[in-house]
Amino acid sequence: MPGRSDIEWACLPLEQLLVAPGEPERAHRRAADFDAVFFDADATELQVQRRIGPRPFPTIDLIRLPPTLLQDPAAVARMGLIAHRVVMAGALCPGSAADVLQRGVLAQWQQPGPRGARVAGFLEMVRLTVREVGAAADCPPLARFFLHMAHAALMAAALDAAAQTCPNVFTRAPLYAQAAGERLGVPLQHTLPAALGLLGSPAAMEAPLLQLQRLARRRCPPPAWPAAMRDGTRSEFAYWRAPAEITSRIAAARVMAAEGDAPAAVFYLRYAAWSLVRLAMVHRRAVEGHAHHVSFIRPECAVLPDLLAHHAPLVEPWLAVFDGDNDCDAAATEAALSHLLALREPMAVHLARCGLAIELPEWRPWRPERISPITTPEEETHGDRARPVEPAV
């Protein structure tokens, strides 16, 4: 599905639009995105498009959802971080369909069914990302990055259970560490940076990240998409391939670092590097005419062998972003996993205190000979808009 043109951006019907600053409760507002949630007749599923305007105008993320959801606040209230964005948003037209939808989601936001579905979904993401650690044993920096995502999902569960929003947790997790740690009774803001290797210099990551972008863009032109590749993955591909995307991310990371949150900037830039790696891998699946849908974020096959076989020049700059000091080994990955597992019991106590009878899934690295080649819809993640298909709760 093609993105919207400048004229179409200017003509979005306001009665179907919700808008919200991406991070109103935190510092770094100059680094935050401005979200627009649009119920779009052309959208068959969650799709994203970004508008990067000249300073001082903010970057706008247009999150496009099927218009049928306007009539279903109960479904939206269960939609992970989409629900977070909707409850933080405001309608531009009082009494409009979007306004009615937003008020309906607010009314159901903390009811046991929707809240339990969201929290269970985030905890399932913890399980899925920990599984990937075992399949990345040949690349410790990648295994550690999967644990970045597992920690972010855990924080999302902890905060959502306590009725706190965290719309950017999957790309800026350290910004939420103190709030999540307070809920869990642990000093997470102090332990997380060392556990995930976030104490390096964000500035040192800029050059390899830009090199990675140049290589990915040159090697991966827009493909002829196989019919099985859904619109959500196609829109993510266009989102991350945009020329200004990485310079915009670097600018936001500089703001975070300048305002005292360098670990958040490191986390943020690693996520951008992973997205460029996935751009290359998804492009390869499209060129191959892959017969199954492929998630943009979650890998469908072992990552390092796939890159070495098809996009070997990307490996060096990617690993320079993930492990610039070249000190991430199996022991570092094990330390990050141990840090996550130590949060399991505090999370169980927190869930009980919040009145949520959710059994924590097992968190164990998967040790297969190879990763399953097919990503099921239930296992998809989508960055800051991440959610699996909601379990029945």
Side-chain angles (χ1 to χ4, degrees), residues 268-318:
Y268 188 66
L269 294 180
R270 283 182 183 162
Y271 185 89
W274 174 243
S275 298
L276 291 173
V277 165
R278 286 300 298 150
L279 184 147
M281 293 180 70
V282 168
H283 181 270
R284 183 64 193 179
R285 301 294 87 79
V287 169
E288 293 169 347
H290 208 56
H292 302 281
H293 171 65
V294 172
S295 165
F296 188 83
I297 291 297
R298 187 167 183 265
E300 67 285 346
C301 63
V303 174
L304 186 58
D306 191 66
L307 286 180
L308 289 173
H310 304 298
H311 291 290
L314 275 64
V315 172
E316 183 177 350
W318 165 50

Side-chain angles (χ1 to χ4, degrees), residues 155 199 214 218 237 304 366 373:
M155 285 188 272
L199 298 175
R214 286 192 295 270
R218 184 169 70 241
F237 182 93
L304 186 58
W366 196 19

Side-chain angles (χ1 to χ4, degrees), residues 73-84 108-126 153 156-158 160-161 170 351 354-359 361 378 386-393:
V76 176
R78 301 166 77 92
M79 289 178 65
L81 295 185
I82 291 295
H84 286 220
Q108 301 189 45
W109 166 248
Q110 283 305 307
Q111 291 184 6
R115 182 171 57 136
R118 294 191 307 272
V119 172
F122 291 133
L123 292 172
E124 177 66 359
M125 289 182 202
V126 179
D160 198 327
F170 282 94
L351 292 175
C354 292
L356 293 173
I358 298 175
E359 184 176 352
E378 289 77 11
R387 67 176 182 94
V389 172
E390 305 297 344
V393 176

Side-chain angles (χ1 to χ4, degrees), residues 60-101:
I60 301 174
D61 271 341
L62 180 65
I63 301 168
R64 300 163 62 190
L65 296 172
T68 53
L69 290 173
L70 277 171
Q71 312 302 322
D72 198 351
V76 176
R78 301 166 77 92
M79 289 178 65
L81 295 185
I82 291 295
H84 286 220
R85 281 174 154 74
V86 170
V87 300
M88 292 169 61
L92 296 180
C93 295
S96 65
D99 183 38
V100 172
L101 179 280

Side-chain angles (χ1 to χ4, degrees), residues 8-233:
E8 289 173 318
W9 272 82
C11 297
L12 294 178
L14 299 185
E15 66 274 7
Q16 294 174 227
L17 191 65
L18 294 167
V19 294
E23 205 62 68
E25 74 277 17
R26 283 283 313 196
H28 316 312
R29 294 184 187 182
R30 290 188 294 126
D33 301 332
F34 196 89
D35 294 332
V37 181
F38 177 49
F39 298 87
D40 191 342
D42 292 332
T44 58
E45 60 179 336
L46 171 66
Q47 297 173 45
V48 293
Q49 188 177 354
R50 173 169 284 204
R51 175 67 171 174
I52 301 174
R55 293 184 178 181
F57 298 102
T59 293
I60 301 174
D61 271 341
L62 180 65
I63 301 168
R64 300 163 62 190
L65 296 172
T68 53
L69 290 173
L70 277 171
Q71 312 302 322
D72 198 351
V76 176
R78 301 166 77 92
M79 289 178 65
L81 295 185
I82 291 295
H84 286 220
R85 281 174 154 74
V86 170
V87 300
M88 292 169 61
L92 296 180
C93 295
S96 65
D99 183 38
V100 172
L101 179 280
Q102 197 257 356
R103 287 188 278 113
V105 173
L106 274 173
Q108 301 189 45
W109 166 248
Q110 283 305 307
Q111 291 184 6
R115 182 171 57 136
R118 294 191 307 272
V119 172
F122 291 133
L123 292 172
E124 177 66 359
M125 289 182 202
V126 179
R127 185 186 73 83
L128 290 172
T129 47
V130 172
R131 282 176 76 222
E132 301 289 359
V133 172
D138 58 344
C139 186
L142 174 60
R144 184 176 65 179
F145 177 75
F146 287 138
L147 292 167
H148 286 40
M149 296 295 100
H151 279 83
L154 184 82
M155 285 188 272
L159 292 169
D160 198 327
Q164 289 182 252
T165 57
C166 50
N168 292 319
V169 68
F170 282 94
T171 56
R172 310 179 192 198
L175 298 184
Y176 300 90
Q178 180 173 345
E182 289 171 354
R183 296 298 178 177
L184 298 175
V186 296
L188 199 55
Q189 74 274 24
H190 300 305
T191 61
L192 185 74
L196 297 183
L198 302 174
L199 298 175
S201 167
M205 303 166 72
E206 294 180 9
L209 183 59
L210 289 168
Q211 181 187 7
L212 180 61
Q213 181 196 35
R214 286 192 295 270
L215 289 168
R217 281 180 49 79
R218 184 169 70 241
R219 298 173 64 90
C220 303
W225 292 104
M229 208 76 79
R230 298 206 304 261
D231 288 342
T233 291

